[in-house]
């Protein structure tokens, strides 16, 4: 408890400037993952800590009161009104922050369902919402290629969608995830041309990242933010050889209904998560804990984590990401077409 | 996942709460100091009274 207090005190002493806060948010955007619940928790934790601290009377003041014949009860009585106001400030902040997050919470609860619907939807509709070509016509064209072509008209001048699909299959032939997956970010266009950066490079200290990873999804829509979030969709292929794989889990699964193998996998994840984030390990900073959690997963041989229905793919090494539609991709596709 | 607007809003609520708490901290410390001053002067008065009583 003392340690937690020290940590929070340290945070308070190092309050971020608006510029630093903005940078943290941008860093998180680049990573493509930011947990509002953790961010909220951190901020409310700081408010609660400060409220708790200022509601106390220091030992030296209490000694002075006793020395001059006063009583703690009287002191309490005199400060009670201010203490109530302090409590009120904390409660109001909790309520107000809760209001900000409300829509996201609802969305989080339905997240997996929405991703399933979105993925299912893409199989029937093209990016403009029209019925796709028949299955026969579409044969040999990878899901998501329509969108990549729409986003990058230069591809059409080089080859057909079928050729592009064949080319994509040649990029990471041994990957366990062959689908086109997406990374959403307000800085997506920049990422597409300049490449991804890891959390270590960004030195992002924003709370909520439990791993030093880059985040992707199979969902073709931004399913969080109640539809109000307008982010650029970066299309990618990932080289995933040994994932900690929860992708087959469904929303109806509980620990009891899992197979023995799945139970062991879930236990392993839990064990490493606890070791890095919740048990005493000498690390005080969430950023350091996240790096440690990733190291533990890597030491076990994992290169990524696949969440249910590929709603989220967390990949540790940016070398295993191939971005579609940028100059390099166009160049490589051209070479592929020329060869075949 | 959140948008920058949500993070910004939380930051604003946080800053407002911290500013209010800082003011209340000053107010509370003032109440405690005043109480101590009050007790101190009561004690001085009591000492004065007892000295006067001794001198009578």
């Amino acid at each position: 408890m003392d340690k937690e207090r020290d940590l929070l005190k340290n945070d308070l002493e190092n309050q971020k400037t608006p510029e630093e806060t903005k940078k943290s948010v941008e860093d998180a955007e680049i990573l493509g993952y930011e947990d509002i619940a953790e961010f909220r928790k951190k901020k409310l934790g700081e408010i609660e800590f400060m409220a708790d601290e200022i509601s106390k009377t220091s030992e030296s003041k209490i000694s002075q009161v006793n020395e001059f014949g006063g009583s703690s009860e009287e002191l309490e009585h005199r400060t009670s009104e201010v203490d109530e106001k302090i409590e009120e400030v904390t409660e109001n902040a909790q309520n107000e922050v809760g209001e900000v997050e409300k829509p996201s919470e609802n969305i989080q609860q339905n997240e997996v369902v929405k991703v399933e619907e979105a993925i299912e939807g893409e199989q029937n509709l093209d990016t403009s919402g029209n019925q796709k070509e028949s299955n026969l016509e579409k044969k040999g064209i990878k899901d998501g290629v329509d969108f990549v072509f729409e986003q990058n008209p230069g591809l059409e001048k080089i080859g057909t969608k079928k050729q592009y699909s064949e080319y994509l299959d040649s990029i990471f032939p041994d990957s366990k995830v062959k689908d086109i997956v997406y990374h959403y970010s307000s800085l997506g266009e920049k990422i597409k041309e300049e490449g991804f950066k890891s959390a270590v490079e960004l030195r992002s200290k924003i709370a909520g990242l439990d791993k030093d990873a880059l985040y992707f999804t199979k969902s073709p829509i931004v399913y969080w933010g109640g539809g109000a979030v307008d982010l650029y969709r970066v299309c990618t292929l990932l080289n995933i050889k040994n994932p900690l794989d929860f992708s087959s889990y469904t929303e109806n699964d509980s620990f009891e209904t899992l197979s023995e193998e799945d139970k062991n996998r879930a236990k392993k994840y839990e064990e490493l998560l606890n070791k890095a984030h919740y048990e005493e390990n000498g690390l005080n900073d969430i950023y350091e804990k996240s790096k440690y959690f990733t190291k533990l997963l890597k030491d076990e041989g994992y290169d990524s984590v696949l969440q249910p229905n590929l709603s989220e793919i967390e990949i540790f090494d940016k070398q295993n990401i191939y971005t579609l539609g940028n100059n390099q991709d166009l160049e490589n596709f051209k070479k592929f077409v020329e060869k075949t | 996942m959140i948008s920058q607007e949500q993070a910004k809003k939380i930051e604003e609520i946080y800053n407002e709460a911290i500013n209010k708490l800082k003011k209340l901290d000053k107010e509370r410390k003032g109440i405690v100091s005043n109480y101590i001053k009050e007790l101190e002067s009561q004690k001085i008065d009591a000492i004065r009274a007892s000295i006067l009583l001794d001198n009578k």
Side-chain angles (χ1 to χ4, degrees), chain A residues 21 32 34 36 46 54-55 57 67 71 74 78 83 100 104 224, chain B residues 1-2 4 6 9-11 14 21-22 25 28 31 35 38 43:
Chain A
T21 305
E34 187 183 333
I36 184 70
E46 289 174 3
I54 66 176
S55 303
T57 308
E67 196 187 321
S71 73
E74 177 60 19
R78 291 183 181 216
D83 288 341
V100 172
S104 303
W224 60 89
Chain B
M1 194 85 56
I2 63 163
Q4 289 194 9
Q6 279 178 301
K9 183 77 192 152
I10 291 174
E11 199 68 34
Y14 168 82
L21 289 175
K22 279 179 186 169
D25 184 31
R28 194 181 192 282
I31 292 169
Y35 181 46
E38 204 180 301
K43 184 135 188 174

PDB file of all heavy atoms in Angstrom, chain A residues 21 32 34 36 46 54-55 57 67 71 74 78 83 100 104 224, chain B residues 1-2 4 6 9-11 14 21-22 25 28 31 35 38 43:
ATOM      1  N   THR A  21       0.826  15.373 -22.350  1.00  0.00           N
ATOM      2  CA  THR A  21      -0.395  14.565 -22.409  1.00  0.00           C
ATOM      3  C   THR A  21      -0.766  14.308 -23.865  1.00  0.00           C
ATOM      4  O   THR A  21      -1.077  13.197 -24.256  1.00  0.00           O
ATOM      5  CB  THR A  21      -1.562  15.304 -21.713  1.00  0.00           C
ATOM      6  OG1 THR A  21      -1.131  15.626 -20.407  1.00  0.00           O
ATOM      7  CG2 THR A  21      -2.810  14.454 -21.667  1.00  0.00           C
ATOM      8  N   GLY A  32      -2.119   2.119 -31.900  1.00  0.00           N
ATOM      9  CA  GLY A  32      -3.405   1.576 -32.311  1.00  0.00           C
ATOM     10  C   GLY A  32      -4.196   0.984 -31.168  1.00  0.00           C
ATOM     11  O   GLY A  32      -5.175   0.299 -31.364  1.00  0.00           O
ATOM     12  N   GLU A  34      -5.477   1.930 -27.054  1.00  0.00           N
ATOM     13  CA  GLU A  34      -5.432   2.783 -25.884  1.00  0.00           C
ATOM     14  C   GLU A  34      -6.615   2.404 -25.018  1.00  0.00           C
ATOM     15  O   GLU A  34      -7.738   2.413 -25.476  1.00  0.00           O
ATOM     16  CB  GLU A  34      -5.531   4.233 -26.347  1.00  0.00           C
ATOM     17  CG  GLU A  34      -5.331   5.218 -25.259  1.00  0.00           C
ATOM     18  CD  GLU A  34      -5.513   6.601 -25.808  1.00  0.00           C
ATOM     19  OE1 GLU A  34      -5.274   6.787 -27.006  1.00  0.00           O
ATOM     20  OE2 GLU A  34      -5.921   7.473 -25.066  1.00  0.00           O
ATOM     21  N   ILE A  36      -9.140   3.158 -22.434  1.00  0.00           N
ATOM     22  CA  ILE A  36      -9.739   4.279 -21.731  1.00  0.00           C
ATOM     23  C   ILE A  36      -9.967   3.945 -20.256  1.00  0.00           C
ATOM     24  O   ILE A  36      -9.839   4.797 -19.392  1.00  0.00           O
ATOM     25  CB  ILE A  36     -11.062   4.717 -22.424  1.00  0.00           C
ATOM     26  CG1 ILE A  36     -11.669   5.978 -21.767  1.00  0.00           C
ATOM     27  CG2 ILE A  36     -12.074   3.613 -22.444  1.00  0.00           C
ATOM     28  CD1 ILE A  36     -10.897   7.222 -21.997  1.00  0.00           C
ATOM     29  N   GLU A  46      -5.259   9.181  -9.040  1.00  0.00           N
ATOM     30  CA  GLU A  46      -4.475  10.345  -8.614  1.00  0.00           C
ATOM     31  C   GLU A  46      -5.350  11.335  -7.834  1.00  0.00           C
ATOM     32  O   GLU A  46      -4.918  11.888  -6.826  1.00  0.00           O
ATOM     33  CB  GLU A  46      -3.863  11.028  -9.847  1.00  0.00           C
ATOM     34  CG  GLU A  46      -2.746  10.212 -10.462  1.00  0.00           C
ATOM     35  CD  GLU A  46      -2.232  10.804 -11.778  1.00  0.00           C
ATOM     36  OE1 GLU A  46      -2.706  11.884 -12.175  1.00  0.00           O
ATOM     37  OE2 GLU A  46      -1.365  10.170 -12.378  1.00  0.00           O
ATOM     38  N   ILE A  54      -5.035  15.163   1.465  1.00  0.00           N
ATOM     39  CA  ILE A  54      -5.352  16.477   2.040  1.00  0.00           C
ATOM     40  C   ILE A  54      -6.441  16.401   3.117  1.00  0.00           C
ATOM     41  O   ILE A  54      -6.621  17.333   3.873  1.00  0.00           O
ATOM     42  CB  ILE A  54      -5.713  17.534   0.954  1.00  0.00           C
ATOM     43  CG1 ILE A  54      -7.023  17.188   0.239  1.00  0.00           C
ATOM     44  CG2 ILE A  54      -4.600  17.719  -0.033  1.00  0.00           C
ATOM     45  CD1 ILE A  54      -7.451  18.248  -0.748  1.00  0.00           C
ATOM     46  N   SER A  55      -7.155  15.273   3.191  1.00  0.00           N
ATOM     47  CA  SER A  55      -8.168  15.118   4.246  1.00  0.00           C
ATOM     48  C   SER A  55      -7.527  14.727   5.575  1.00  0.00           C
ATOM     49  O   SER A  55      -8.218  14.614   6.583  1.00  0.00           O
ATOM     50  CB  SER A  55      -9.181  14.029   3.875  1.00  0.00           C
ATOM     51  OG  SER A  55      -9.779  14.339   2.665  1.00  0.00           O
ATOM     52  N   THR A  57      -4.794  15.247   8.749  1.00  0.00           N
ATOM     53  CA  THR A  57      -4.047  16.287   9.459  1.00  0.00           C
ATOM     54  C   THR A  57      -2.699  15.695   9.831  1.00  0.00           C
ATOM     55  O   THR A  57      -2.640  14.564  10.317  1.00  0.00           O
ATOM     56  CB  THR A  57      -4.806  16.717  10.734  1.00  0.00           C
ATOM     57  OG1 THR A  57      -6.149  17.037  10.357  1.00  0.00           O
ATOM     58  CG2 THR A  57      -4.156  17.913  11.387  1.00  0.00           C
ATOM     59  N   GLU A  67      -0.865  19.317  22.550  1.00  0.00           N
ATOM     60  CA  GLU A  67       0.021  20.076  23.439  1.00  0.00           C
ATOM     61  C   GLU A  67      -0.698  21.281  24.055  1.00  0.00           C
ATOM     62  O   GLU A  67      -0.519  21.621  25.222  1.00  0.00           O
ATOM     63  CB  GLU A  67       1.225  20.550  22.615  1.00  0.00           C
ATOM     64  CG  GLU A  67       2.410  21.026  23.429  1.00  0.00           C
ATOM     65  CD  GLU A  67       3.466  21.616  22.498  1.00  0.00           C
ATOM     66  OE1 GLU A  67       3.650  21.038  21.394  1.00  0.00           O
ATOM     67  OE2 GLU A  67       4.041  22.645  22.843  1.00  0.00           O
ATOM     68  N   SER A  71      -8.684  19.054  21.263  1.00  0.00           N
ATOM     69  CA  SER A  71      -9.103  17.656  21.074  1.00  0.00           C
ATOM     70  C   SER A  71      -9.241  17.325  19.583  1.00  0.00           C
ATOM     71  O   SER A  71      -9.563  18.194  18.764  1.00  0.00           O
ATOM     72  CB  SER A  71     -10.443  17.407  21.767  1.00  0.00           C
ATOM     73  OG  SER A  71     -11.481  18.026  21.036  1.00  0.00           O
ATOM     74  N   GLU A  74     -12.765  17.968  18.215  1.00  0.00           N
ATOM     75  CA  GLU A  74     -13.054  19.354  17.847  1.00  0.00           C
ATOM     76  C   GLU A  74     -12.425  19.675  16.486  1.00  0.00           C
ATOM     77  O   GLU A  74     -13.046  20.319  15.634  1.00  0.00           O
ATOM     78  CB  GLU A  74     -12.520  20.300  18.940  1.00  0.00           C
ATOM     79  CG  GLU A  74     -12.676  21.781  18.665  1.00  0.00           C
ATOM     80  CD  GLU A  74     -14.140  22.245  18.477  1.00  0.00           C
ATOM     81  OE1 GLU A  74     -15.059  21.528  18.904  1.00  0.00           O
ATOM     82  OE2 GLU A  74     -14.337  23.307  17.852  1.00  0.00           O
ATOM     83  N   ARG A  78     -14.334  20.839  13.118  1.00  0.00           N
ATOM     84  CA  ARG A  78     -14.044  22.073  12.378  1.00  0.00           C
ATOM     85  C   ARG A  78     -13.686  21.824  10.907  1.00  0.00           C
ATOM     86  O   ARG A  78     -13.937  22.686  10.060  1.00  0.00           O
ATOM     87  CB  ARG A  78     -12.888  22.827  13.051  1.00  0.00           C
ATOM     88  CG  ARG A  78     -13.292  23.387  14.396  1.00  0.00           C
ATOM     89  CD  ARG A  78     -12.180  24.185  15.000  1.00  0.00           C
ATOM     90  NE  ARG A  78     -12.580  24.698  16.303  1.00  0.00           N
ATOM     91  CZ  ARG A  78     -12.234  25.884  16.781  1.00  0.00           C
ATOM     92  NH1 ARG A  78     -11.479  26.674  16.046  1.00  0.00           N
ATOM     93  NH2 ARG A  78     -12.637  26.271  17.976  1.00  0.00           N
ATOM     94  N   ASP A  83     -13.910  18.659   4.509  1.00  0.00           N
ATOM     95  CA  ASP A  83     -13.737  17.249   4.139  1.00  0.00           C
ATOM     96  C   ASP A  83     -14.880  16.756   3.254  1.00  0.00           C
ATOM     97  O   ASP A  83     -14.668  15.985   2.320  1.00  0.00           O
ATOM     98  CB  ASP A  83     -13.633  16.375   5.400  1.00  0.00           C
ATOM     99  CG  ASP A  83     -12.299  16.589   6.112  1.00  0.00           C
ATOM    100  OD1 ASP A  83     -11.370  17.096   5.464  1.00  0.00           O
ATOM    101  OD2 ASP A  83     -12.196  16.259   7.306  1.00  0.00           O
ATOM    102  N   VAL A 100     -18.060  10.292 -19.617  1.00  0.00           N
ATOM    103  CA  VAL A 100     -17.237  10.353 -20.833  1.00  0.00           C
ATOM    104  C   VAL A 100     -17.069   8.961 -21.402  1.00  0.00           C
ATOM    105  O   VAL A 100     -17.116   8.754 -22.606  1.00  0.00           O
ATOM    106  CB  VAL A 100     -15.836  10.955 -20.525  1.00  0.00           C
ATOM    107  CG1 VAL A 100     -14.924  10.840 -21.751  1.00  0.00           C
ATOM    108  CG2 VAL A 100     -15.957  12.396 -20.104  1.00  0.00           C
ATOM    109  N   SER A 104     -18.216   3.983 -24.689  1.00  0.00           N
ATOM    110  CA  SER A 104     -17.180   2.997 -24.957  1.00  0.00           C
ATOM    111  C   SER A 104     -17.420   1.718 -24.170  1.00  0.00           C
ATOM    112  O   SER A 104     -17.165   0.633 -24.661  1.00  0.00           O
ATOM    113  CB  SER A 104     -15.819   3.547 -24.576  1.00  0.00           C
ATOM    114  OG  SER A 104     -15.599   4.718 -25.269  1.00  0.00           O
ATOM    115  N   TRP A 224     -15.320   0.674 -32.221  1.00  0.00           N
ATOM    116  CA  TRP A 224     -15.411   1.365 -30.947  1.00  0.00           C
ATOM    117  C   TRP A 224     -15.776   2.827 -31.201  1.00  0.00           C
ATOM    118  O   TRP A 224     -15.711   3.299 -32.329  1.00  0.00           O
ATOM    119  CB  TRP A 224     -14.087   1.278 -30.191  1.00  0.00           C
ATOM    120  CG  TRP A 224     -12.944   1.879 -30.946  1.00  0.00           C
ATOM    121  CD1 TRP A 224     -12.529   3.175 -30.909  1.00  0.00           C
ATOM    122  CD2 TRP A 224     -12.087   1.211 -31.882  1.00  0.00           C
ATOM    123  NE1 TRP A 224     -11.467   3.345 -31.770  1.00  0.00           N
ATOM    124  CE2 TRP A 224     -11.179   2.178 -32.362  1.00  0.00           C
ATOM    125  CE3 TRP A 224     -11.990  -0.103 -32.340  1.00  0.00           C
ATOM    126  CZ2 TRP A 224     -10.184   1.856 -33.286  1.00  0.00           C
ATOM    127  CZ3 TRP A 224     -11.006  -0.394 -33.269  1.00  0.00           C
ATOM    128  CH2 TRP A 224     -10.113   0.563 -33.732  1.00  0.00           C
TER     129      TRP A 224
ATOM    130  N   MET B   1     -10.402   1.234 -26.962  1.00  0.00           N
ATOM    131  CA  MET B   1      -9.805   2.266 -27.802  1.00  0.00           C
ATOM    132  C   MET B   1     -10.550   3.588 -27.599  1.00  0.00           C
ATOM    133  O   MET B   1     -11.759   3.605 -27.526  1.00  0.00           O
ATOM    134  CB  MET B   1      -9.929   1.794 -29.236  1.00  0.00           C
ATOM    135  CG  MET B   1      -9.107   2.542 -30.222  1.00  0.00           C
ATOM    136  SD  MET B   1      -7.406   2.031 -30.442  1.00  0.00           S
ATOM    137  CE  MET B   1      -7.549   0.332 -30.851  1.00  0.00           C
ATOM    138  N   ILE B   2      -9.822   4.666 -27.482  1.00  0.00           N
ATOM    139  CA  ILE B   2     -10.505   5.947 -27.316  1.00  0.00           C
ATOM    140  C   ILE B   2     -10.005   6.944 -28.320  1.00  0.00           C
ATOM    141  O   ILE B   2      -8.951   6.820 -28.874  1.00  0.00           O
ATOM    142  CB  ILE B   2     -10.304   6.534 -25.904  1.00  0.00           C
ATOM    143  CG1 ILE B   2      -8.824   6.819 -25.669  1.00  0.00           C
ATOM    144  CG2 ILE B   2     -10.896   5.655 -24.868  1.00  0.00           C
ATOM    145  CD1 ILE B   2      -8.558   7.731 -24.538  1.00  0.00           C
ATOM    146  N   GLN B   4      -8.918  10.947 -29.211  1.00  0.00           N
ATOM    147  CA  GLN B   4      -8.189  12.000 -28.501  1.00  0.00           C
ATOM    148  C   GLN B   4      -9.154  12.877 -27.704  1.00  0.00           C
ATOM    149  O   GLN B   4      -8.822  13.346 -26.627  1.00  0.00           O
ATOM    150  CB  GLN B   4      -7.435  12.855 -29.502  1.00  0.00           C
ATOM    151  CG  GLN B   4      -6.276  12.108 -30.111  1.00  0.00           C
ATOM    152  CD  GLN B   4      -5.320  13.042 -30.848  1.00  0.00           C
ATOM    153  OE1 GLN B   4      -5.441  14.239 -30.765  1.00  0.00           O
ATOM    154  NE2 GLN B   4      -4.379  12.475 -31.552  1.00  0.00           N
ATOM    155  N   GLN B   6     -11.851  12.040 -26.118  1.00  0.00           N
ATOM    156  CA  GLN B   6     -12.211  11.434 -24.829  1.00  0.00           C
ATOM    157  C   GLN B   6     -11.084  11.605 -23.822  1.00  0.00           C
ATOM    158  O   GLN B   6     -11.330  11.955 -22.669  1.00  0.00           O
ATOM    159  CB  GLN B   6     -12.524   9.950 -25.020  1.00  0.00           C
ATOM    160  CG  GLN B   6     -13.925   9.712 -25.541  1.00  0.00           C
ATOM    161  CD  GLN B   6     -14.170   8.238 -25.759  1.00  0.00           C
ATOM    162  OE1 GLN B   6     -13.458   7.596 -26.526  1.00  0.00           O
ATOM    163  NE2 GLN B   6     -15.159   7.704 -25.100  1.00  0.00           N
ATOM    164  N   LYS B   9     -10.999  15.148 -22.656  1.00  0.00           N
ATOM    165  CA  LYS B   9     -12.092  15.453 -21.733  1.00  0.00           C
ATOM    166  C   LYS B   9     -11.741  14.947 -20.319  1.00  0.00           C
ATOM    167  O   LYS B   9     -11.935  15.655 -19.332  1.00  0.00           O
ATOM    168  CB  LYS B   9     -13.379  14.771 -22.257  1.00  0.00           C
ATOM    169  CG  LYS B   9     -14.610  15.064 -21.451  1.00  0.00           C
ATOM    170  CD  LYS B   9     -15.152  16.452 -21.739  1.00  0.00           C
ATOM    171  CE  LYS B   9     -16.200  16.817 -20.696  1.00  0.00           C
ATOM    172  NZ  LYS B   9     -16.334  18.229 -20.439  1.00  0.00           N
ATOM    173  N   ILE B  10     -11.214  13.737 -20.249  1.00  0.00           N
ATOM    174  CA  ILE B  10     -10.821  13.175 -18.948  1.00  0.00           C
ATOM    175  C   ILE B  10      -9.719  14.031 -18.325  1.00  0.00           C
ATOM    176  O   ILE B  10      -9.735  14.322 -17.134  1.00  0.00           O
ATOM    177  CB  ILE B  10     -10.376  11.698 -19.100  1.00  0.00           C
ATOM    178  CG1 ILE B  10     -11.591  10.835 -19.451  1.00  0.00           C
ATOM    179  CG2 ILE B  10      -9.702  11.174 -17.835  1.00  0.00           C
ATOM    180  CD1 ILE B  10     -11.300   9.389 -19.759  1.00  0.00           C
ATOM    181  N   GLU B  11      -8.805  14.466 -19.155  1.00  0.00           N
ATOM    182  CA  GLU B  11      -7.704  15.321 -18.677  1.00  0.00           C
ATOM    183  C   GLU B  11      -8.269  16.634 -18.115  1.00  0.00           C
ATOM    184  O   GLU B  11      -7.800  17.132 -17.095  1.00  0.00           O
ATOM    185  CB  GLU B  11      -6.761  15.589 -19.856  1.00  0.00           C
ATOM    186  CG  GLU B  11      -5.376  16.044 -19.479  1.00  0.00           C
ATOM    187  CD  GLU B  11      -4.551  14.979 -18.785  1.00  0.00           C
ATOM    188  OE1 GLU B  11      -4.716  13.798 -19.112  1.00  0.00           O
ATOM    189  OE2 GLU B  11      -3.763  15.342 -17.897  1.00  0.00           O
ATOM    190  N   TYR B  14      -9.889  15.989 -14.807  1.00  0.00           N
ATOM    191  CA  TYR B  14      -8.801  15.741 -13.846  1.00  0.00           C
ATOM    192  C   TYR B  14      -8.193  17.067 -13.381  1.00  0.00           C
ATOM    193  O   TYR B  14      -8.058  17.318 -12.184  1.00  0.00           O
ATOM    194  CB  TYR B  14      -7.747  14.862 -14.528  1.00  0.00           C
ATOM    195  CG  TYR B  14      -6.438  14.750 -13.789  1.00  0.00           C
ATOM    196  CD1 TYR B  14      -6.286  13.862 -12.735  1.00  0.00           C
ATOM    197  CD2 TYR B  14      -5.345  15.535 -14.158  1.00  0.00           C
ATOM    198  CE1 TYR B  14      -5.081  13.762 -12.068  1.00  0.00           C
ATOM    199  CE2 TYR B  14      -4.148  15.443 -13.495  1.00  0.00           C
ATOM    200  CZ  TYR B  14      -4.010  14.552 -12.447  1.00  0.00           C
ATOM    201  OH  TYR B  14      -2.816  14.466 -11.781  1.00  0.00           O
ATOM    202  N   LEU B  21      -9.143  20.684  -5.457  1.00  0.00           N
ATOM    203  CA  LEU B  21      -8.543  20.039  -4.280  1.00  0.00           C
ATOM    204  C   LEU B  21      -7.411  20.888  -3.699  1.00  0.00           C
ATOM    205  O   LEU B  21      -7.251  20.968  -2.484  1.00  0.00           O
ATOM    206  CB  LEU B  21      -8.034  18.637  -4.636  1.00  0.00           C
ATOM    207  CG  LEU B  21      -9.113  17.577  -4.894  1.00  0.00           C
ATOM    208  CD1 LEU B  21      -8.489  16.267  -5.368  1.00  0.00           C
ATOM    209  CD2 LEU B  21      -9.969  17.326  -3.662  1.00  0.00           C
ATOM    210  N   LYS B  22      -6.650  21.525  -4.565  1.00  0.00           N
ATOM    211  CA  LYS B  22      -5.558  22.385  -4.088  1.00  0.00           C
ATOM    212  C   LYS B  22      -6.118  23.531  -3.244  1.00  0.00           C
ATOM    213  O   LYS B  22      -5.567  23.875  -2.197  1.00  0.00           O
ATOM    214  CB  LYS B  22      -4.761  22.938  -5.278  1.00  0.00           C
ATOM    215  CG  LYS B  22      -3.737  21.944  -5.825  1.00  0.00           C
ATOM    216  CD  LYS B  22      -2.997  22.530  -7.014  1.00  0.00           C
ATOM    217  CE  LYS B  22      -2.089  21.491  -7.644  1.00  0.00           C
ATOM    218  NZ  LYS B  22      -1.558  21.919  -8.946  1.00  0.00           N
ATOM    219  N   ASP B  25      -7.341  22.166  -0.009  1.00  0.00           N
ATOM    220  CA  ASP B  25      -6.186  21.833   0.832  1.00  0.00           C
ATOM    221  C   ASP B  25      -5.761  23.067   1.623  1.00  0.00           C
ATOM    222  O   ASP B  25      -5.536  23.010   2.836  1.00  0.00           O
ATOM    223  CB  ASP B  25      -5.043  21.341  -0.079  1.00  0.00           C
ATOM    224  CG  ASP B  25      -3.835  20.879   0.710  1.00  0.00           C
ATOM    225  OD1 ASP B  25      -4.025  20.381   1.843  1.00  0.00           O
ATOM    226  OD2 ASP B  25      -2.703  21.001   0.194  1.00  0.00           O
ATOM    227  N   ARG B  28      -8.358  23.870   4.295  1.00  0.00           N
ATOM    228  CA  ARG B  28      -8.312  22.945   5.436  1.00  0.00           C
ATOM    229  C   ARG B  28      -7.105  23.242   6.329  1.00  0.00           C
ATOM    230  O   ARG B  28      -7.220  23.268   7.559  1.00  0.00           O
ATOM    231  CB  ARG B  28      -8.245  21.505   4.927  1.00  0.00           C
ATOM    232  CG  ARG B  28      -8.538  20.478   5.996  1.00  0.00           C
ATOM    233  CD  ARG B  28      -8.439  19.071   5.443  1.00  0.00           C
ATOM    234  NE  ARG B  28      -8.991  18.108   6.379  1.00  0.00           N
ATOM    235  CZ  ARG B  28      -8.368  17.671   7.438  1.00  0.00           C
ATOM    236  NH1 ARG B  28      -7.163  18.131   7.742  1.00  0.00           N
ATOM    237  NH2 ARG B  28      -8.933  16.789   8.241  1.00  0.00           N
ATOM    238  N   ILE B  31      -7.842  26.171   8.476  1.00  0.00           N
ATOM    239  CA  ILE B  31      -8.722  25.862   9.613  1.00  0.00           C
ATOM    240  C   ILE B  31      -7.900  25.245  10.746  1.00  0.00           C
ATOM    241  O   ILE B  31      -8.037  25.627  11.919  1.00  0.00           O
ATOM    242  CB  ILE B  31      -9.866  24.904   9.178  1.00  0.00           C
ATOM    243  CG1 ILE B  31     -10.819  25.631   8.232  1.00  0.00           C
ATOM    244  CG2 ILE B  31     -10.617  24.352  10.378  1.00  0.00           C
ATOM    245  CD1 ILE B  31     -11.837  24.742   7.529  1.00  0.00           C
ATOM    246  N   TYR B  35      -7.169  26.891  14.425  1.00  0.00           N
ATOM    247  CA  TYR B  35      -7.531  26.190  15.666  1.00  0.00           C
ATOM    248  C   TYR B  35      -6.330  26.132  16.617  1.00  0.00           C
ATOM    249  O   TYR B  35      -6.463  26.396  17.820  1.00  0.00           O
ATOM    250  CB  TYR B  35      -8.016  24.775  15.312  1.00  0.00           C
ATOM    251  CG  TYR B  35      -8.458  23.942  16.510  1.00  0.00           C
ATOM    252  CD1 TYR B  35      -9.291  24.469  17.500  1.00  0.00           C
ATOM    253  CD2 TYR B  35      -8.043  22.623  16.646  1.00  0.00           C
ATOM    254  CE1 TYR B  35      -9.702  23.706  18.588  1.00  0.00           C
ATOM    255  CE2 TYR B  35      -8.444  21.839  17.723  1.00  0.00           C
ATOM    256  CZ  TYR B  35      -9.266  22.388  18.695  1.00  0.00           C
ATOM    257  OH  TYR B  35      -9.662  21.641  19.773  1.00  0.00           O
ATOM    258  N   GLU B  38      -5.743  29.485  18.092  1.00  0.00           N
ATOM    259  CA  GLU B  38      -6.782  29.725  19.104  1.00  0.00           C
ATOM    260  C   GLU B  38      -6.416  29.030  20.421  1.00  0.00           C
ATOM    261  O   GLU B  38      -6.474  29.643  21.492  1.00  0.00           O
ATOM    262  CB  GLU B  38      -8.089  29.146  18.543  1.00  0.00           C
ATOM    263  CG  GLU B  38      -9.346  29.745  19.102  1.00  0.00           C
ATOM    264  CD  GLU B  38     -10.560  29.070  18.445  1.00  0.00           C
ATOM    265  OE1 GLU B  38     -10.685  29.132  17.202  1.00  0.00           O
ATOM    266  OE2 GLU B  38     -11.348  28.442  19.177  1.00  0.00           O
ATOM    267  N   LYS B  43      -4.104  29.048  25.838  1.00  0.00           N
ATOM    268  CA  LYS B  43      -3.121  28.545  26.799  1.00  0.00           C
ATOM    269  C   LYS B  43      -2.339  29.719  27.388  1.00  0.00           C
ATOM    270  O   LYS B  43      -2.096  29.772  28.591  1.00  0.00           O
ATOM    271  CB  LYS B  43      -2.158  27.572  26.096  1.00  0.00           C
ATOM    272  CG  LYS B  43      -1.173  26.937  27.032  1.00  0.00           C
ATOM    273  CD  LYS B  43      -1.048  25.465  26.774  1.00  0.00           C
ATOM    274  CE  LYS B  43      -0.204  24.830  27.848  1.00  0.00           C
ATOM    275  NZ  LYS B  43      -0.140  23.404  27.743  1.00  0.00           N
TER     276      LYS B  43
END
